[in-house]
Amino acid sequence: MKTENTVEGKMEKIVSLCKRRGFIFQGSEIYGGLAGTFDYGPYGVTLKNNIKRLWWKRFVEDREDMYGVDAAILMNPKVWEASGHVAGFADPLVEDLKTHKRYRADHLLEDAGVDTKGMKATEMDALIKEKKIKSPEGNPLGEVRQFNMMFKTQIGATEDPTAVSYLRPETAGGIFVNYKNVLDSLHPKLPFGIAQIGKAFRNEIAPRDFIFRLRELEQMEIEFFVNPKEWEKWFAHFQAQVHEWTRDIGLADSHVHELEIAPADLAHYSKRTIDFEFDYPFGKKELYGLAYRTDFDLSAHTKSSRVDLSYFDEETKERLTPHVIEPSFGVDRTLLAILSDAYTEDTLGGETRTFLKLAPAVAPVRVAVFPLLKNKPELVAKAREVYAMLKKAIPNVEFDDNGNIGKRYRRQDEIGTPFCVTVDFETIEQGTGVALRDRDTGAQKRVKIEDLVSLVS
Ligand code: ATP
C-alpha cells in the first residue's frame, strides 16, 4: 500500500472534499457567499463538536482547578476600552489605488520576502515605497494605515454614540469580567482557571486560506490565574498541555512547531508568548498562542470598572492581583489542521483512493453498518439490529445501504470513518458474526457481533 501525505494541490482537494461530502460550505452560498464566513455541514459540525468536547474534557472536566463559563458575545463597550482593543486591535491596511481592493500591508511585504515582525505602519509604508511593491493586480498602493478589526454594532433603538458596542474579538474578555463572579460564587483558591468556548468576530482585512482566516471564528480559551511567583511553572505546564492536546486529536508532532516571540515583538500585555505553528498546506502558520499576560487585564479592569479584582490568600494573608497564563486555541484552525494531516491518497486493491486518516476520537462517523445487499430483507433486518445495538453505545454510527459495497467503502473512507461493519449471508446462515473493515489498511476480519462495541470504541 502506497501512502503519500504530501499531495500536490492538497488545499484545493481538501476544500473540494469538504463541500462534496458535507463538511464545510461557503457562507450564504446561494447568494454568492460572504467573504470570511463558512458554514459547517452535517459532518463538519460533528467533527467540530468532537473537537470541542475533547478540549472541554481535557481542560475542564478532567481537572479540579478549572471552571467553565459561557459569557454573552455582546458586552459593555467599556470592556474593550479597558482591554486596549478600542485603541489598538488593528492590522495595517493598504489599498490598491486603482481597484480599491484592500490588503494587509504586512502580508504583501511578507510575500515580497520582508520580515515585518514588530514593524510599525509608518515603517511598512516606507518599505512599500522603497521596494516599489505593487498590489497583487500590479497597481500602485496607497498609504499604510491602522484598521481596527472590531465589528461595531448598535445596541437598542437609539442611534446615539453611547449605544455603540462591539461583537467580541476574542472570548477572553468574557472570562475576565466573570473572574469575580466565579471567585465569589465558587471560592476557588489560586491557582485556578476559567475556560470558555465560543464565537469571536474579527473584521479581517483579507480573509483567506479557507477556514484559516475568518471573520466569524470560534475560540477555546483559558485564563489561568496564578500567584506571580509561580507564572513560569504554569506557563511550562500549559506549553506541555498544548502538545498533549495536539496528540489527542491526531496531529503529527513533526508538524507542530513552537515559535518564541522576541521581546521586541510582544503584544503590549505580554511578558512572554509562544506561538504554536502548524505546517498547513499553504505554509507554517499560527495554530495556537500561549501568553503570559501578567496582571495586565485584571489591573486594567479594576481601574476602569472601579471594582476590586484582587485576591486574598488565606494561607499567607497576602492580598495580590493574580497574574494570568492564557492558552488560546482556534477551533477552525484546529479543524483545518486535522483535515490537513488526515488527507491521504493511496492505492488499495489496484485502485487509487482518497481517505481521511482521522483519529477515531474526532471522526464524525465512528462506525458505519451495511447490509451486503439492499434488496435482501433478512440482511437489512439484521444490519438494522446491529446498527441499533451500536447506536446505543456509540453516538456516531451510520447505517448505509446506498449503492454497491465498494461505493459505500469509498464514501466512508472519504469522510474518515475508522470502521465499517458488513452483515452478509454468512452472518445469517452460519452465525459467524460480521465483517469488520479497517479504514487505513482496507483489511477485513470476521468478528462476533457481541464484541463489536469494544472493538470500535
Ligand atoms: P494571526 O496572527 O494569525 O492573525 P492572532 O495572533 O491575531 O492570529 P490571537 O489573537 O492570538 O490570534 O487569537 C487566538 C487564536 O484564535 C489563534 O491562535 C487562532 O487559532 C485563532 N484565530 C485568530 N484569528 C483568527 C481568524 N481570523 N480566523 C480563524 N481563527 C483565528
Side-chain angles (χ1 to χ4, degrees):
M1 198 178 75
K2 196 174 110 221
T3 303
E4 297 169 358
N5 222 338
T6 19
V7 185
E8 269 286 299
K10 191 172 181 182
M11 200 55 210
E12 293 71 23
K13 289 177 175 178
I14 290 173
V15 174
S16 139
L17 186 151
C18 283
K19 182 168 160 59
R20 192 170 66 246
R21 292 297 184 201
F23 280 83
I24 302 169
F25 311 115
Q26 203 185 350
S28 318
E29 189 173 346
I30 61 168
Y31 288 97
L34 179 70
T37 68
F38 283 90
D39 295 342
Y40 287 87
Y43 292 129
V45 71
T46 311
L47 172 53
K48 189 150 105 141
N49 285 341
N50 289 347
I51 294 169
K52 292 193 278 184
R53 193 174 32 76
L54 285 174
W55 188 89
W56 197 258
K57 183 173 181 333
R58 166 177 283 282
F59 289 103
V60 183
E61 286 169 4
D62 288 354
R63 301 178 63 116
E64 290 181 27
D65 55 1
M66 201 71 82
Y67 299 83
V69 294
D70 183 14
I73 287 173
L74 291 173
M75 301 181 74
N76 190 310
K78 287 187 180 140
V79 172
W80 306 114
E81 282 163 26
S83 66
H85 283 80
V86 172
F89 190 60
D91 272 341
L93 176 150
V94 69
E95 193 171 306
D96 177 316
L97 291 176
K98 234 185 191 161
T99 63
H100 301 289
K101 272 197 198 157
R102 292 166 163 201
Y103 298 96
R104 284 267 298 261
D106 52 339
H107 288 170
L108 293 187
L109 280 162
E110 275 157 23
D111 291 347
V114 180
D115 180 7
T116 60
K117 285 214 172 69
M119 220 180 251
K120 294 195 181 77
T122 47
E123 294 168 279
M124 289 187 209
D125 195 57
L127 263 177
I128 284 179
K129 293 202 168 87
E130 183 193 314
K131 293 186 172 283
K132 298 194 172 57
I133 290 173
K134 297 263 188 309
S135 78
E137 278 94 356
N139 300 318
L141 294 163
E143 291 267 303
V144 178
R145 64 181 171 91
Q146 289 294 349
F147 172 77
N148 193 296
M149 289 201 290
M150 282 201 294
F151 279 100
K152 241 188 211 167
T153 188
Q154 200 80 26
I155 302 285
T158 44
E159 289 222 349
D160 66 90
T162 58
V164 162
S165 187
Y166 305 93
L167 300 186
R168 67 180 178 205
E170 56 179 33
T171 59
I175 295 181
F176 287 118
V177 298
N178 279 296
Y179 154 84
K180 187 168 155 53
N181 288 334
V182 172
L183 205 56
D184 291 350
S185 54
L186 287 111
H187 312 289
K189 304 269 170 286
L190 279 192
F192 72 92
I194 305 181
Q196 166 160 246
I197 299 180
K199 288 276 175 116
F201 302 82
R202 299 179 177 195
N203 199 0
E204 294 278 355
I205 295 165
R208 62 178 183 180
D209 297 321
F210 196 33
I211 54 168
F212 178 82
R213 189 168 299 286
L214 294 166
R215 289 192 170 128
E216 177 173 339
L217 55 129
E218 200 160 2
Q219 294 180 315
M220 309 182 282
E221 292 196 299
I222 292 168
E223 305 305 327
F224 200 77
F225 302 96
V226 303
N227 186 308
K229 287 184 204 133
E230 293 193 324
W231 80 265
E232 278 164 310
K233 169 178 142 191
W234 288 104
F235 192 95
H237 167 79
F238 282 104
Q239 186 179 356
Q241 281 287 304
V242 170
H243 290 290
E244 290 198 20
W245 159 252
T246 58
R247 276 172 216 135
D248 278 0
I249 54 174
L251 301 186
D253 270 347
S254 59
H255 293 166
V256 179
H257 312 276
E258 291 189 5
L259 175 71
E260 180 85 42
I261 305 298
D265 301 334
L266 288 171
H268 60 285
Y269 53 75
S270 173
K271 274 254 173 74
R272 185 179 177 198
T273 295
I274 290 179
D275 280 353
F276 292 84
E277 298 188 315
F278 179 78
D279 293 320
Y280 287 101
F282 42 86
K284 193 160 82 168
K285 302 271 175 196
E286 177 175 334
L287 170 64
Y288 304 137
L290 173 66
Y292 168 41
R293 297 181 72 113
T294 68
D295 61 348
F296 172 82
D297 304 271
L298 289 183
S299 294
H301 287 303
T302 298
K303 205 165 142 209
S304 173
S305 65
R306 300 209 187 93
V307 173
D308 180 11
L309 300 177
S310 66
Y311 171 91
F312 185 70
D313 189 323
E314 298 285 351
E315 267 170 40
T316 61
K317 306 291 174 211
E318 181 193 9
R319 183 163 285 285
L320 60 116
T321 301
H323 280 211
V324 166
I325 306 296
E326 178 194 67
S328 179
F329 305 72
V331 177
D332 313 273
R333 287 189 190 179
T334 305
L335 201 142
L336 185 56
I338 288 176
L339 289 176
S340 168
D341 262 7
Y343 185 90
T344 314
E345 289 176 0
D346 71 354
T347 39
L348 188 66
E351 281 188 37
T352 54
R353 70 161 178 167
T354 298
F355 72 108
L356 293 183
K357 211 171 185 170
L358 294 173
V362 297
V365 177
R366 173 68 70 101
V367 49
V369 182
F370 317 144
L372 181 65
L373 298 170
K374 192 183 181 169
N375 57 1
K376 296 284 174 210
E378 64 277 27
L379 291 182
V380 175
K382 189 70 191 169
R384 280 267 166 211
E385 207 181 281
V386 172
Y387 166 72
M389 176 203 76
L390 284 171
K391 190 105 178 141
K392 260 192 216 147
I394 303 159
N396 305 333
V397 187
E398 199 169 87
F399 183 85
D400 192 356
D401 60 3
N402 271 323
N404 66 37
I405 199 97
K407 275 207 181 114
R408 291 181 219 159
Y409 284 146
R410 274 200 293 283
R411 188 159 54 234
Q412 295 298 335
D413 284 347
E414 269 209 322
I415 64 167
T417 305
F419 305 103
C420 291
V421 170
T422 303
V423 170
D424 53 21
F425 291 107
E426 266 188 57
T427 314
I428 303 203
E429 288 160 10
Q430 295 161 30
T432 51
V434 289
L436 179 67
R437 175 185 180 267
D438 175 86
R439 173 197 63 201
D440 299 346
T441 59
Q444 302 197 29
K445 58 179 179 190
R446 289 214 76 84
V447 303
K448 288 193 195 135
I449 292 174
E450 55 270 32
D451 292 343
L452 270 178
V453 171
S454 65
L455 285 169
V456 303
S457 288

